Amino acid sequence: MQKTQSSDLNPVTRLGRFVIQPIDEMGRMTLFLLYGLLHIFSWPIQVIKIIEQIYYIGMKSVFVIVLTGAFTGMVLGLQGYYTLVKFGSEGILGAAVALTLIREMGPVLTAIMVIGRAGSAMAAEIGIMRISEQIDALETMDIDPIRFLVSPRIAASLISFPLLTAIFDVVGILGGYFTGSVMLGINPGIYFSRVQSSVVLQDISGGFIKSIVFAIVVVTVCCFQGYMTHTRSEGFGSKGVSLSTTSAVVTSCVLVLITDYILTSFLL
């Protein structure tokens, strides 16, 4: 026992655990994702459950996406106008707002809003099912819990995230129009002509690629944290669920930002 305790206090041992544990968790999370993706197409396809998750993840997030998109576009229009007017370039405000939203702000803020509204709920729901032994009951009844709980959420997220991102972009551009044209007097024709001339298909497809990758990241992290609640050493029961939910939200947001940088460097 004394040898075990002394090895635990060994700085080299702690450094090794600090390095190995994240790699081990990333490996388990990757296998978790691959297993969930595989079961999306296993027969019979869970169409009803996928539609239910699309409604929960997508439809129920529309209001917060519209609200966030509108005020983001309005702020970009306001800040962009007072920056561009110093250089006599306020006419390109439409291009600045549209490209900022479509390339970066739309996919990233959509993902973060969905994490806060639906991702945290995914982690908490699956975590509660784990500690209340409902997942064990599924296994006892020979029902694959990953196929039953995770695969429909992955499929629904892959459908919902691009659509929510598109809504965010459109509402944000209209918010920029409201600030720039209605409030500050930029010609509406110039605003929308700049939007049309500056946005190309590569910008739109890049934004959708980001939203699909963010969907995979968010649903994998949130479902995995909830699914593995029982393995947490920091706490059990309701405390374990709260820790899993917090970890899911924080980890998802950080990974979305890191992934955004990596994707941007490849897509530019």
Side-chain angles (χ1 to χ4, degrees):
M1 176 65 80
Q2 290 179 353
K3 289 183 178 180
T4 304
Q5 290 177 348
S6 63
S7 64
D8 289 340
L9 297 175
N10 190 329
V12 177
T13 303
R14 284 183 289 180
L15 178 62
R17 288 180 179 178
F18 179 78
V19 174
I20 292 172
Q21 283 180 351
I23 297 174
D24 177 63
E25 185 150 342
M26 286 176 61
R28 288 188 294 159
M29 204 176 296
T30 302
L31 293 175
F32 183 82
L33 169 63
L34 293 176
Y35 198 65
L37 287 171
L38 179 65
H39 278 294
I40 292 175
F41 306 101
S42 60
W43 191 261
I45 297 175
Q46 304 176 90
V47 178
I48 301 299
K49 290 190 69 63
I50 292 174
I51 292 173
E52 289 175 354
Q53 291 301 322
I54 290 173
Y55 174 76
Y56 181 75
I57 297 170
M59 189 62 195
K60 285 196 169 184
S61 300
V62 168
F63 177 75
V64 69
I65 293 298
V66 169
L67 193 64
T68 307
F71 281 98
T72 301
M74 291 169 67
V75 169
L76 287 174
L78 193 62
Q79 293 283 8
Y81 177 84
Y82 285 109
T83 301
L84 294 171
V85 76
K86 296 179 181 179
F87 307 97
S89 304
E90 61 272 17
I92 65 171
L93 178 65
V97 171
L99 290 175
T100 302
L101 287 169
I102 292 171
R103 287 180 177 178
E104 291 296 330
M105 301 291 285
V108 172
L109 287 181
T110 296
I112 291 175
M113 289 299 105
V114 175
I115 289 169
R117 204 213 66 81
S120 57
M122 287 186 214
E125 181 181 353
I126 296 176
I128 290 171
M129 292 183 71
R130 171 60 80 182
I131 65 170
S132 61
E133 300 182 352
Q134 295 181 52
I135 292 178
D136 298 329
L138 290 174
E139 293 174 343
T140 302
M141 293 185 291
D142 199 25
I143 298 174
D144 191 324
I146 295 181
R147 180 181 184 275
F148 186 75
L149 298 173
V150 179
S151 295
R153 288 174 167 86
I154 295 176
S157 296
L158 290 172
I159 296 170
S160 300
F161 270 65
L163 296 176
L164 292 173
T165 300
I167 293 172
F168 189 103
D169 293 342
V170 171
V171 174
I173 291 171
L174 293 176
Y177 159 76
F178 177 79
T179 300
S181 296
V182 177
M183 295 179 60
L184 299 174
I186 294 178
N187 188 293
I190 295 176
Y191 180 89
F192 285 110
S193 67
R194 290 292 187 178
V195 172
Q196 182 181 6
S197 62
S198 62
V199 177
V200 297
L201 182 61
Q202 184 180 356
D203 300 320
I204 298 172
S205 61
F208 283 148
I209 289 171
K210 286 185 177 182
S211 67
I212 290 171
V213 175
F214 293 163
I216 293 173
V217 170
V218 170
V219 74
T220 302
V221 172
C222 292
C223 290
F224 180 81
Q225 292 292 340
Y227 194 84
M228 303 301 291
T229 295
H230 63 299
T231 64
R232 303 192 71 91
S233 59
E234 305 96 328
F236 302 95
S238 58
K239 184 179 180 181
V241 174
S242 66
L243 291 172
S244 295
T245 305
T246 303
S247 178
V249 172
V250 174
T251 306
S252 298
C253 290
V254 171
L255 288 179
V256 162
L257 297 176
I258 294 172
T259 308
D260 178 56
Y261 174 80
I262 296 171
L263 290 174
T264 301
S265 64
F266 281 105
L267 293 172
L268 286 179

